[in-house]
Amino acid sequence: MLKKSILWIFVIFISVQIFSFSSATAAQSNSTSKKVTEVVVEVVKKTRSVPKAKEATLFETCHKIVRKTAHFSEFMLLAIFVAALCRSYRFNMHVTLIISLLYPLLFAAADEFHQLFVDGRSGQITDVLIDFSGALTGTLAFVFCRFILLHIRRKKSS
């Protein structure tokens, strides 16, 4: 029961966190992602020689990557925890796969729709596709890890 409760907390927490990020105005969202981007750009500049004339281009490229990676990562985690939650209820793998892909997809679509009503934000179908790609990756990672664990258990028992 404790495992299920913890998984529910993670699924709810990530869902609320995604909604919270989406509720930020465009200015707030940009400010947050720009802080992360500044750190990334500094790391890149320390590891590579970047001409002064290319710094603005580097920042814009990194900023876009940071924002899209955030979308991908949030939904990858969401799918992993949804899949784990489904398995904790002993759903078969087909049902687990469907739910761990369908919930993030519907949540992503609803999230982008919600952004249509947030100051300066817009709903983007490309973001839904990025979110779903993250969910697909998370679901596949869950299945792969589960396969490896089952393989190890079988080897130990034989």
Side-chain angles (χ1 to χ4, degrees):
M1 186 63 181
L2 179 63
K3 180 181 176 181
K4 288 177 186 167
S5 297
I6 291 170
L7 290 170
W8 271 112
I9 289 168
F10 277 118
V11 168
I12 292 167
F13 176 78
I14 293 168
S15 299
V16 168
Q17 199 62 35
I18 292 169
F19 184 81
S20 172
F21 287 141
S22 295
S23 297
T25 64
Q28 293 167 328
S29 179
N30 261 335
S31 174
T32 301
S33 60
K34 281 186 178 181
K35 288 175 189 171
V36 175
T37 303
E38 287 168 359
V39 172
V40 171
V41 167
E42 284 307 309
V43 169
V44 170
K45 285 169 44 178
K46 285 181 182 176
T47 60
R48 296 183 172 212
S49 173
V50 179
K52 207 65 160 155
K54 300 265 184 179
E55 284 184 15
T57 304
L58 173 64
F59 186 87
E60 289 306 315
T61 301
C62 287
H63 189 238
K64 187 168 189 111
I65 292 169
V66 163
R67 292 183 68 81
K68 300 310 174 187
T69 301
H71 273 270
F72 183 91
S73 302
E74 292 167 340
F75 282 86
M76 181 178 72
L77 284 174
L78 182 60
I80 289 169
F81 285 113
V82 167
L85 182 61
C86 289
R87 291 301 297 160
S88 76
Y89 283 97
R90 302 203 183 279
F91 292 172
N92 70 43
M93 279 306 287
H94 294 290
V95 173
T96 297
L97 291 173
I98 290 167
I99 294 172
S100 68
L101 291 172
L102 193 58
Y103 175 72
L105 177 62
L106 294 174
F107 194 88
D111 187 52
E112 291 302 315
F113 179 73
H114 161 249
Q115 286 186 32
L116 294 173
F117 305 98
V118 177
D119 188 36
R121 303 288 294 266
S122 62
Q124 302 290 323
I125 191 72
T126 54
D127 285 349
V128 173
L129 295 173
I130 292 167
D131 297 343
F132 184 72
S133 296
L136 180 60
T137 301
T139 300
L140 292 174
F142 178 84
V143 169
F144 180 73
C145 289
R146 187 168 185 285
F147 173 79
I148 296 296
L149 290 173
L150 289 174
H151 183 71
I152 291 169
R153 283 185 193 155
R154 284 187 190 127
K155 280 213 176 226
K156 281 185 179 180
S157 67
S158 24

